[in-house]
Amino acid sequence: MTEAHGPGIAALPDGADVVIVGGGHNALTAAAYLARAGRSVVLLEAADHVGGAAVSQRPFDGVDARLSRYSYLVSLLPRQVARDLGLDLTLVRRRYSSYTPDPGDPSRGLLVDGEADDDARRAAFDRVGAGDDVAAWTEWYDAVGLLARAIAPTLTQPLPARDDVAADLARAGGDAGRAIWRDVVERPIGEAIERRFRSDLVRGVVATDALIGTFADLDSDLAANRCYLYHVIGGGTGDWDVPVGGMGAVSGALAAAARDGGAQLVTSARVSAVTPGVR
Ligand SMILES: Cc1cc2nc3c(=O)[nH]c(=O)nc-3n(C[C@H](O)[C@H](O)[C@H](O)COP(=O)(O)OP(=O)(O)OC[C@H]3O[C@@H](n4cnc5c(N)ncnc54)[C@H](O)[C@@H]3O)c2cc1C
């Protein structure tokens, strides 16, 4: 039995096979799949809109530009989910993934350009005195690509055994595959970042993907490694794409798929108790 309060509960049906608490993008995805599998689904969202942290707003009066409000880039949405649910969604590849000013000389900084060829990358690293790290950067991200291609498909599969993924990676990448598995999966990632790169600025850029949004640290355990993996495996490339219309377009497409499948999405309904086993 699920108890909810708020204006939305007037819309509650008598019963359902599945009640989903919350209406973020994960809940919407579950609602869409379950509804398409023939279950009767009711989703209860406390706010007056669905989407959770994946929502857009129009910040400029009179301008129909919808921008992401919190979460803003898409990488971990498996393309299979988009295909299965027929999501009407346009994702645009970003060219520049970061610009990091040099704390010692803020007039210069490291621009990471996804379209840079070898010469342009060397020039970018030279500008911050990190030319010695170009080869290590290329080697690291080539190996991270191997890791991404080994792990990304498993996101939509039954959880594989760790040793099986490691063996796949070793088959695909040989010594480089074994080394990146050790550096990113088995040892605190700070060890590899310090060993492989010389410039603190470059180390910081690499480490950002391991630390962002966490209170983890690079050296004591594997929490930062987990954060790093989530940031570099999406789609098998680690690219982070911009959704046209902001993240609300993602949630909107998922909500449409859920409704089309027959799920009932109820907003302004905060769940206050769930009693297992009681209908
Ligand atoms: C500032 C910021 C930036 C981010 N940037 C990115 C990014 O660029 N890319 C990315 O992939 N991820 C990003 N993230 C992370 C991403 O937003 C979250 O991982 C994602 O939103 C989690 O989705 P969810 O559906 O699990 O939960 P949420 O989006 O948190 O949704 C949970 C929903 O449940 C509802 N709810 C909670 N309790 C109840 C209750 N008792 N009854 C009814 N409803 C309830 C809430 O109102 C909410 O709508 C960012 C997060 C933040 C905060």
Side-chain angles (χ1 to χ4, degrees):
M1 190 173 70
T2 310
E3 290 171 40
H5 61 269
I9 59 167
L12 271 182
D14 282 345
D17 295 330
V18 182
V19 177
I20 298 176
V21 180
H25 69 76
N26 283 314
L28 293 167
T29 304
Y33 272 103
L34 286 163
R36 281 161 184 247
R39 299 289 187 274
S40 62
V41 177
V42 174
L43 177 150
L44 303 174
E45 166 55 52
D48 63 2
H49 57 272
V50 294
V55 289
S56 302
Q57 75 178 146
R58 290 185 175 82
F60 310 112
D61 281 347
V63 180
D64 187 23
R66 283 159 297 151
L67 306 185
S68 297
R69 197 163 177 198
Y70 311 109
S71 172
Y72 60 105
L73 293 170
V74 176
S75 180
L76 292 166
L77 170 66
R79 301 304 180 259
Q80 185 192 327
V81 172
R83 281 195 301 275
D84 285 353
L85 300 179
L87 302 185
D88 181 12
L89 189 60
T90 306
L91 302 176
V92 179
R93 185 66 27 101
R94 302 183 292 177
R95 174 168 177 186
Y96 301 105
S97 50
S98 64
Y99 176 77
T100 308
D102 180 352
D105 176 4
S107 68
R108 63 182 196 172
L110 180 59
L111 181 68
V112 180
D113 175 355
E115 293 178 15
D117 60 16
D118 289 348
D119 290 343
R121 180 176 301 155
R122 170 158 291 283
F125 277 65
D126 279 342
R127 269 195 291 279
V128 291
D132 286 352
D133 276 338
V134 173
W137 175 278
T138 306
E139 191 180 311
W140 173 260
Y141 283 104
D142 284 351
V144 165
L146 289 169
L147 190 61
R149 287 192 290 283
I151 295 180
T154 71
L155 295 179
T156 46
Q157 293 166 1
L159 195 63
R162 172 194 178 101
D163 289 350
D164 291 342
V165 182
D168 284 349
L169 187 58
R171 259 193 302 278
D175 287 345
R178 278 185 281 275
I180 199 71
W181 180 264
R182 182 198 62 223
D183 286 351
V184 178
V185 179
E186 293 184 336
R187 300 295 312 159
I189 193 166
E191 291 179 7
I193 292 174
E194 196 167 337
R195 189 180 67 248
R196 289 185 181 234
F197 301 101
R198 293 190 186 174
S199 153
D200 274 347
L201 185 66
V202 174
R203 288 171 173 162
V205 172
V206 177
T208 298
D209 278 330
L211 295 175
I212 192 163
T214 72
F215 292 107
D217 76 76
L218 295 170
D219 300 308
S220 57
D221 58 25
L222 298 174
N225 296 52
R226 193 171 311 138
C227 177
Y228 190 78
L229 273 177
Y230 279 124
H231 279 100
V232 297
I233 62 169
T237 63
D239 285 313
W240 287 81
D241 295 335
V242 180
V244 173
M247 280 302 223
V250 179
S251 294
L254 289 166
R259 284 197 189 94
D260 287 352
Q264 188 170 352
L265 312 184
V266 184
T267 53
S268 302
R270 176 176 293 280
V271 172
S272 49
V274 176
T275 311
V278 180
R279 280 189 76 92

